[in-house]
Amino acid sequence: MKKLIFSLFSLCLLAPSWVRADEGMWFLMFLKRLNERDMQQKGLKLSAEDIYSINHNSLKNAIVQFNGGCTASIISPDGLVITNHHCGYGAIAGLSTPEHNYLRDGYWAKTKAEELSPKRLFVRFFVRMDNVTDRMLSVLNPSMTEEEREAAIQTEIHKIQQENSEGGKYVVSVRSFFQGNEFYYFVYQDFKDVRLVGTPPESVGKFGGDTDNWEWPRHTGDFSVFRVYTDKNGNPAEYSPDNIPMKAQKYLDVSLKGVQEKDFAMILGYPGRTNRWVSSYWVDQQVKYGYPAWVEASKTAMDAMKKHMDASNAVRLKYASTYAGLANYWKNRQGMIDALTAHQTADLKRKAEKKFAAWAAKAENQAEYGSVLADLASYFSQTNQQAANQNYLAIFFRANPIASQVIPYARQLEAYFSSSDDQKQQLRERLTRGLQAYYERTYLPAEIDLFADNLKLYAEKSTDIPQQLKQIKEQYQGDFKRYAAEVFARSIFTKAENLENFFQNPSEEALRNDPLATMAKVLSDKYNHTEDEALRDSYDKAFRKYVKGMRDSKISRIQYPDANSTLRLTYGSVKALPKDKRNYDVKSNYYTTFETMLGKYKPGDPEFDMPVKFLQMYNDKQFGRYADKDGTLHINFLTDNDITGGNSGSPVLNGKGELIGLAFDGNIEAMAGDVIFDEKLQRTIVVDIRYVLWCIDTYAGAKHVVDEMNLIP
Ligand code: ARG
């Protein structure tokens, strides 16, 4: 039985991509050539040109990257932006206080004057892209070392940026694809005045919490609403009370019609990272070394944070966003370990590699590709433990952002001593402001625990720790709490009064001996320079060749590049998960309803509570125009679109390009999907736009916000 499944699977691997059309994160500039016909056959009523055009107003003008890591879309002529709640989470938490707790209670601005400006929030519009592969390859040659290659690439990138940025008007990003075999540049425009219009309470926006995260069936109102502001002439500008709502070039129409199974659905957005070209060695390494360390270190940080968050609402608000981020990938990585193991993904990869080996052994390929697989294998066999070591350290830095921050601060202070008085004054003000923001965002006892616990874990679990850390471990007899308390008591950077004292009596020696800056530097050097460079070079070369060979030989027919936070389109349809023995009704349905949500309701529970008013409204059947034609209110639904982290907040569109929902999650059954798209199990979890509108209009009473949109009955 197993055998049969595998051979079917490898058949799939070999089939041309149009057979598995729902897989794929496609470049907008190639939609016409690669996808238009197929999309139209599946139900698209638009042309490729309606989606992406350089010369005409097209859908892509309504899609933005949200604050660097998520996706959002413009949904009104006055620049309303909609994204996920978990994408606005940091901004919402940052605007909240225990007295005005918008994260807990929700918020809706009654007028534009009440829209709230978070500390830092930007959206990025996509202007155009182009292929610069030939140009890049013309400055590269096979005899270059990886370092020479990188230098040549950087020089050319710099030129392309100069040519296209129009004197700083645009951000130009040149990226490599297919593991350095192709290159494209992207032109963007950033807008930095983005304000919170409204958000549901966390009990709606994060209903189900970490228990339901990555799971179906789901009932999460994962949305929040913002607005982009511009200067008087419509140009990007830093926040100013004089700024005006953006006059949107393009905005999405919003459909009230709802979806049926098999309906066409497409998603535009910024998927962050997939690894569909990696080898079996990579999979084995992550499953056995990389991801377990990630999971363990994340849990350590989460536990340290949670203790303090549970003791105080003020502290909870400070750490809510970082905690949610850690918890999200803690569950994801464990899910990946389980799914990659259960689906025997490494074995599938090995099958493809066997074919590659046979192809590479042919006389005409031998010279170029003969050693590729051996080089890959050799790299991974030598770096297994290192993959774990690195992840312990990576999560240490994630949980302790101050540790990376102090490194540039310390460098600036070194320059302080040779600066003019003016420069000194400026530096002092800048540093004081920067650190003030850190003190406000954090809670010292929690910072100490986070530092202590993740450093201790790293010191105990890593097989290769720096000498200085070894000494500390011995000196403090493994008592990292005591060490951390001393570091934070003494460092220039951890307390306003310590910084003040330093400036009262600036001493190079005090700076040189700063315990936090010193340890941070040691750890960051370890993180950035652990690998044997020759080994790394040989890996980069081999992996690049492997991907080229897999494509040239047609062993892999994947025609789209790995996700790397560039704008993509994925299309498919509304689709339930397959029924199996374990599946009860609700699980094999393609949508969930208010009723099934009530089934999860646990009053007072941190994850499954809901607004009391919800129950009242349910009893009064107040669903109005947002109800489905079956009379119920649909909450979430499933599509078979190909997305990953970074797509969060992405608009899900019907065949006419109207908004039907927001993508916000994937399902645990398909957690191997970033490595191999799983046709049978991979789903996108979408919040139905009608539930979103109901929450804004009927529940929150912010009809004026819905009135800005163009609703299609
Ligand atoms: N899994 C979602 C994603 O990666 C994030 C969901 C956030 N919700 C939560 N309960 N942590 O896009």
Side-chain angles (χ1 to χ4, degrees):
M1 188 59 202
K2 253 188 187 152
K3 267 240 167 72
L4 180 71
I5 293 173
F6 282 150
S7 52
L8 280 178
F9 227 104
S10 40
L11 259 183
C12 284
L13 275 179
L14 282 173
S17 69
W18 48 262
V19 174
R20 302 181 299 148
D22 302 341
E23 168 174 357
M25 300 175 174
W26 305 97
F27 271 157
L28 300 196
M29 67 180 283
F30 296 138
L31 289 180
K32 179 135 202 91
R33 180 157 64 79
L34 293 177
N35 315 98
E36 187 184 56
R37 251 192 69 199
D38 187 39
M39 288 172 78
Q40 289 173 344
Q41 269 166 16
K42 289 193 147 74
L44 177 68
K45 304 281 185 273
L46 307 173
S47 66
E49 182 86 356
D50 294 329
I51 298 171
Y52 173 73
S53 164
I54 310 182
N55 302 313
H56 303 113
N57 203 0
S58 55
L59 269 187
K60 68 110 167 91
N61 291 336
I63 315 302
V64 293
Q65 191 180 32
F66 187 85
N67 213 26
C70 277
T71 307
S73 45
I74 309 289
I75 51 167
S76 88
D78 283 341
L80 268 190
V81 180
I82 193 159
T83 186
N84 286 152
H85 182 263
H86 78 263
C87 296
Y89 202 86
I92 298 164
L95 287 165
S96 298
T97 61
E99 296 75 38
H100 299 280
N101 197 334
Y102 308 130
L103 188 66
R104 185 189 62 203
D105 305 328
Y107 179 78
W108 289 95
K110 291 190 192 63
T111 62
K112 295 201 174 73
E114 284 184 9
E115 294 173 1
L116 303 171
S117 179
K119 280 234 169 67
R120 189 200 94 110
L121 187 60
F122 75 103
V123 295
R124 168 167 286 187
F125 283 82
F126 169 62
V127 181
R128 62 169 198 277
M129 67 181 291
D130 211 348
N131 188 346
V132 283
T133 304
D134 290 344
R135 175 171 176 178
M136 286 302 237
L137 295 184
S138 76
V139 301
L140 304 175
N141 70 64
S143 62
M144 284 176 160
T145 63
E146 287 301 297
E147 201 178 330
E148 289 164 348
R149 189 184 149 91
E150 192 47 39
I153 288 174
Q154 287 309 326
T155 307
E156 210 54 29
I157 285 182
H158 190 70
K159 287 187 204 155
I160 294 171
Q161 287 173 329
Q162 295 281 308
E163 290 161 23
N164 292 284
S165 77
E166 297 190 16
K169 180 175 176 194
Y170 297 123
V171 177
V172 180
S173 157
V174 187
R175 305 295 301 277
S176 96
F177 295 84
F178 296 108
Q179 226 52 51
N181 287 295
E182 293 186 11
F183 296 85
Y184 293 79
Y185 76 84
F186 299 80
V187 179
Y188 301 111
Q189 193 171 27
D190 287 352
F191 287 77
K192 294 180 180 159
D193 186 353
V194 181
R195 304 181 196 172
L196 176 67
V197 173
T199 172
E202 194 175 13
S203 60
V204 172
K206 201 181 169 181
F207 182 79
D210 291 324
T211 302
D212 269 9
N213 189 22
W214 303 110
E215 308 272 352
W216 179 260
R218 195 64 167 279
H219 301 85
T220 309
D222 202 342
F223 76 96
S224 54
V225 181
F226 293 81
R227 192 189 306 280
V228 189
Y229 281 77
T230 67
D231 71 10
K232 289 205 182 68
N233 305 314
N235 295 315
E238 296 290 339
Y239 170 84
S240 155
D242 298 334
N243 285 349
I244 56 168
M246 161 178 267
K247 291 279 154 266
Q249 212 182 333
K250 179 88 186 171
Y251 59 93
L252 300 177
D253 293 336
V254 179
S255 170
L256 285 174
K257 224 167 129 210
V259 296
Q260 303 289 317
E261 198 160 15
K262 298 206 177 87
D263 278 358
F264 177 85
M266 65 179 174
I267 294 176
L268 283 134
Y270 284 86
R273 190 101 205 82
T274 53
N275 293 295
R276 301 240 165 101
W277 295 92
V278 292
S279 61
S280 60
Y281 315 108
W282 184 97
V283 176
D284 284 336
Q285 180 171 88
Q286 295 303 341
V287 167
K288 292 185 198 130
Y289 297 88
Y291 290 161
W294 184 322
V295 170
E296 189 183 16
S298 299
K299 188 69 170 63
T300 300
M302 285 158 62
D303 289 344
M305 254 176 229
K306 185 132 196 320
K307 197 176 72 194
H308 294 281
M309 289 166 76
D310 285 348
S312 144
N313 268 334
V315 176
R316 173 177 299 280
L317 285 170
K318 289 178 181 200
Y319 289 94
S321 184
T322 319
Y323 183 89
L326 282 164
N328 190 31
Y329 275 90
W330 161 70
K331 190 164 176 184
N332 172 285
R333 290 313 188 230
Q334 185 57 52
M336 282 192 78
I337 295 171
D338 298 342
L340 291 167
T341 308
H343 299 319
Q344 295 174 291
T345 309
D347 286 344
L348 289 173
K349 295 273 178 194
R350 269 187 278 278
K351 290 218 157 151
E353 284 154 20
K354 240 184 168 161
K355 294 199 178 88
F356 182 90
W359 176 83
K362 288 187 184 165
E364 67 272 27
N365 302 324
Q366 174 67 35
E368 184 69 3
Y369 298 100
S371 73
V372 163
L373 279 177
D375 289 345
L376 291 179
S378 153
Y379 172 78
F380 283 102
S381 71
Q382 291 178 67
T383 56
N384 278 328
Q385 187 55 49
Q386 206 174 81
N389 297 350
Q390 287 288 85
N391 277 351
Y392 285 118
L393 210 41
I395 302 292
F396 166 82
F397 279 109
R398 174 92 72 85
N400 296 279
I402 186 64
S404 347
Q405 251 174 296
V406 293
I407 297 170
Y409 285 164
R411 208 176 305 126
Q412 287 167 33
L413 277 187
E414 273 164 34
Y416 179 88
F417 297 98
S418 54
S419 298
S420 71
D421 285 350
D422 267 5
Q423 287 168 327
K424 277 188 173 145
Q425 189 52 29
Q426 276 174 17
L427 182 58
R428 178 173 179 164
E429 281 165 18
R430 203 169 56 229
L431 219 60
T432 307
R433 237 181 298 122
L435 281 164
Q436 194 54 41
Y438 163 69
Y439 309 138
E440 280 165 21
R441 263 199 320 271
T442 54
Y443 174 58
L444 191 59
E447 291 293 288
I448 294 173
D449 279 351
L450 279 164
F451 186 86
D453 292 358
N454 276 76
L455 194 57
K456 180 176 161 76
L457 182 71
Y458 169 65
E460 284 173 355
K461 292 295 174 80
S462 170
T463 55
D464 176 30
I465 62 172
Q467 191 51 41
Q468 290 91 328
L469 183 59
K470 230 177 251 171
Q471 267 165 19
I472 295 288
K473 194 175 156 189
E474 275 158 29
Q475 187 185 333
Y476 287 82
Q477 295 169 317
D479 186 351
F480 278 86
K481 284 272 203 282
R482 188 159 62 86
Y483 167 65
E486 283 182 27
V487 167
F488 277 75
R490 268 183 45 210
S491 170
I492 298 167
F493 305 100
T494 44
K495 275 187 189 164
E497 60 185 280
N498 293 6
L499 186 69
E500 199 42 44
N501 285 341
F502 173 84
F503 283 120
Q504 292 301 326
N505 184 10
S507 138
E508 288 188 67
E509 202 194 332
L511 176 60
R512 215 177 311 117
N513 293 331
D514 187 88
L516 182 59
T518 315
M519 182 52 74
K521 182 77 174 54
V522 165
L523 296 173
S524 132
D525 286 348
K526 187 81 198 165
Y527 187 69
N528 293 316
H529 313 286
T530 38
E531 284 180 66
D532 167 352
E533 281 201 21
L535 182 65
R536 178 80 214 178
D537 282 3
S538 102
Y539 172 66
D540 287 344
K541 233 182 197 121
F543 193 18
R544 190 163 62 239
K545 284 188 186 184
Y546 176 66
V547 171
K548 186 170 186 327
M550 288 293 274
R551 297 176 80 201
D552 289 353
S553 65
K554 303 208 165 36
I555 293 169
S556 169
R557 299 274 186 142
I558 295 180
Q559 292 188 39
Y560 61 90
D562 262 331
N564 63 351
S565 300
T566 53
L567 183 58
R568 307 296 177 90
L569 179 141
T570 152
Y571 61 98
S573 55
V574 175
K575 196 169 174 185
L577 275 163
K579 284 194 212 297
D580 72 22
K581 290 189 290 300
R582 289 166 309 139
N583 279 348
Y584 44 103
D585 249 15
V586 108
K587 185 146 181 163
S588 56
N589 205 348
Y590 70 88
Y591 64 89
T592 58
T593 65
F594 209 98
E595 226 139 72
T596 55
M597 180 164 72
L598 283 175
K600 287 182 175 174
Y601 175 44
K602 282 192 211 142
D605 186 87
E607 296 187 314
F608 292 96
D609 201 0
M610 60 171 69
V612 194
K613 214 169 125 193
F614 262 38
L615 304 170
Q616 186 62 46
M617 298 178 87
Y618 175 74
N619 290 332
D620 298 350
K621 290 276 176 286
Q622 293 184 28
F623 296 146
R625 59 178 170 171
Y626 305 118
D628 191 76
K629 55 178 184 292
D630 68 11
T632 67
L633 186 63
H634 291 197
I635 308 292
N636 293 160
F637 65 87
L638 293 176
T639 68
D640 64 358
N641 294 116
D642 187 2
I643 66 162
T644 190
N647 269 117
S648 284
S650 293
V652 185
L653 307 171
N654 65 17
K656 294 181 194 155
E658 298 158 356
L659 188 65
I660 52 178
L662 308 177
F664 72 93
D665 210 357
N667 54 316
I668 200 93
E669 296 84 355
M671 219 82 294
D674 280 352
V675 179
I676 286 187
F677 182 85
D678 188 330
E679 223 195 332
K680 207 168 130 244
L681 293 178
Q682 190 143 332
R683 296 293 180 272
T684 291
I685 308 180
V686 183
V687 54
D688 193 309
I689 201 67
R690 295 169 303 170
Y691 176 54
V692 170
L693 297 174
W694 181 84
C695 286
I696 301 175
D697 178 353
T698 316
Y699 165 68
K703 181 160 185 295
H704 58 286
V705 174
V706 174
D707 286 345
E708 279 189 50
M709 306 172 200
N710 189 29
L711 302 186
I712 311 290

